[in-house]
Amino acid sequence: MALRIGIEEEYFVVDPGSREVVPRAAAVVRGARPALGERVSTELVDFLAEAKTSPCDDLAKLEEQIRSMRAAMAGAAAAEGVRLAASGTPVLGDLVPAPITAGARYAESLATYRGLDDEQCICSCHVHVEMPDRERAVQVSNHLRPWLPTLVALAANSPYWAGRDTGHACWRVMTWARWPVAGPPPFFESHGHYEELVGTLLGCGALMDTGTIFWDVRPSARLPTLEIRLADVAPTAADATVFAALTRALVQVSAEAAEAGERAPAAPQEMLRAAYWLAARDGLAGTGLDVLTGRPAAFRRLAADLLAHVRPALRGTGDLDRVTAGVRRLITGGTGAERQRAAYRRRGRLTDVVDSCLLREDTAVPA
């Protein structure tokens, strides 16, 4: 039986003339509420709005939800005289200090994290995969760890930041790296070990609450899911669907290994950090690190290895052909980051990059 999945996506609110980010997310969220209800929300920074799907087990239904969700968000933005862009970082705009959304929780975050909040302008895609319990979620997290840098490379869609090319494919990962509890999760011996470490981090003030556990894989604090949080928001609904299906398949294979009593490989944290940086710098086009052997490996090869690793799960859900084609399209045709740079090369204009990322009300895919 296919595990149920759902995704959360964040989008930048941009001015249709200048294409710079503008602090109008609260208004867009209000406008989207009639269509999406509680599935739309503000975030810490008023430059971006979040929307989420309902849980489902069928990939076609998931894509339909993502498309209709993006269309509803684009329509709400148009009604406010703004547009939405699906990019992991803002291409244009005056970003620092970022406009913090009103509310007691956001005010507490600013008091706790201070200058980190000033530059927290990033848009992610979070994939939720259902889990029977938190013990299993922690075990699966351990099995996912060696594959996380490859997922970062596949999802890279944030090469620009405030008018400049960062030289990275995924600058969003670099901004996250500064936070006290973020990036690749540690290896946990058990759920008790997880809770003990979280308690320590809460006690010393490194965490404001369990909602600020920003490891790239975590048991959800409010849902019976494992949350995989490492991806840039995808350029298109089709890209988001493929990434979600690939992630679910990896979770499925990992859950079966955990259920069979297989101990997850304890990839060293320092190797994971190095592999993350290589993935963030060069994306699929670069050479990464096999964190289990310590040897260099091209990310395109690692992506092919990942696809082979999850093939049984994809075959079981009927998603094998769709996901194989999607991953091969990324390997040969380029990730979101490569597409953004291609948009810039055509005329040398960053406004063209923003336009390539815009959501459209009619088709819910970038123009």
Side-chain angles (χ1 to χ4, degrees):
M1 180 181 296
L3 297 173
R4 293 196 303 165
I5 53 175
I7 73 165
E8 305 172 29
E9 292 189 322
E10 297 159 339
Y11 318 108
F12 284 113
V13 183
V14 300
D15 180 89
S18 68
R19 277 61 148 218
E20 295 184 359
V21 289
V22 289
R24 301 281 303 282
V28 173
V29 167
R30 284 194 299 271
R33 278 265 156 78
L36 298 177
E38 294 305 308
R39 294 195 293 119
V40 60
S41 61
T42 57
E43 270 292 339
L44 172 70
V45 174
D46 198 32
F47 287 146
L48 58 103
E50 179 181 271
K52 54 184 72 70
T53 70
S54 300
C56 62
D57 58 8
D58 181 79
L59 201 58
K61 291 179 182 177
L62 179 67
E63 182 169 5
E64 180 181 345
Q65 280 201 56
I66 297 170
R67 289 186 181 279
S68 62
M69 176 178 80
R70 288 184 170 211
M73 293 296 290
E80 292 294 327
V82 293
R83 302 292 299 274
L84 296 179
S87 173
T89 47
V91 178
L92 291 168
D94 186 8
L95 307 179
V96 183
I100 303 300
T101 302
R105 176 173 173 75
Y106 298 137
E108 183 182 0
S109 177
L110 185 59
T112 302
Y113 297 112
R114 306 170 193 177
L116 290 179
D117 278 2
D118 286 347
E119 298 184 27
Q120 192 58 15
C121 292
I122 57 174
C123 285
S124 308
C125 172
H126 300 169
V127 180
H128 286 262
V129 186
E130 69 174 336
M131 283 283 109
D133 54 61
R134 292 172 69 83
E135 182 66 52
R136 181 58 50 81
V138 168
Q139 294 170 0
V140 171
S141 173
N142 288 339
H143 281 273
L144 296 183
R145 291 172 74 248
W147 299 104
L148 299 181
T150 304
L151 291 177
V152 169
L154 282 163
N157 187 35
S158 53
Y160 295 98
W161 172 271
R164 69 183 182 92
D165 189 327
T166 66
H168 286 65
C170 183
W171 188 246
R172 184 191 56 81
V173 160
M174 296 293 94
T175 67
W176 262 131
R178 297 176 295 177
W179 285 70
V181 183
F187 187 98
F188 297 108
E189 294 297 334
S190 64
H191 180 246
H193 179 203
Y194 173 90
E195 291 291 344
E196 180 183 5
L197 178 54
V198 168
T200 299
L201 295 170
L202 284 166
C204 73
L207 288 174
M208 192 173 80
D209 53 34
T210 56
T212 54
I213 299 170
F214 294 144
W215 286 316
D216 283 340
V217 182
R218 70 180 186 186
S220 174
R222 54 189 175 80
L223 298 169
T225 64
L226 185 66
E227 186 179 0
I228 295 87
R229 312 164 39 87
L230 53 71
D232 287 344
V233 63
T236 70
D239 288 328
T241 304
V242 167
F243 185 81
L246 181 66
T247 301
R248 175 174 66 176
L250 181 56
V251 169
Q252 179 72 56
V253 169
S254 300
E256 290 170 358
E259 187 174 356
E262 296 180 24
R263 182 173 173 82
Q269 195 74 0
E270 60 274 21
M271 284 197 186
L272 268 176
R273 284 181 56 83
Y276 256 56
W277 178 71
L278 290 167
R281 187 186 66 177
D282 296 323
L284 279 185
T287 297
L289 176 68
D290 184 327
V291 298
L292 298 181
T293 66
R295 298 192 183 103
F299 272 115
R300 287 191 172 95
R301 196 213 82 192
L302 292 170
D305 290 347
L306 172 58
L307 192 58
H309 178 66
V310 302
R311 185 169 286 117
L314 291 172
R315 187 177 291 113
T317 57
D319 299 330
L320 179 59
D321 291 345
R322 170 75 183 277
V323 175
T324 298
V327 171
R328 287 176 177 167
R329 184 172 64 248
L330 290 172
I331 290 173
T332 60
T335 61
E338 291 170 281
R339 286 178 242 171
Q340 285 196 34
R341 288 191 170 115
Y344 177 78
R345 286 194 299 269
R346 292 186 194 106
R347 298 194 298 173
R349 297 179 183 178
L350 286 174
T351 53
D352 289 348
V353 176
V354 179
D355 288 348
S356 75
C357 299
L358 293 177
L359 303 189
R360 284 172 44 185
E361 188 177 358
D362 55 351
T363 61
V365 297

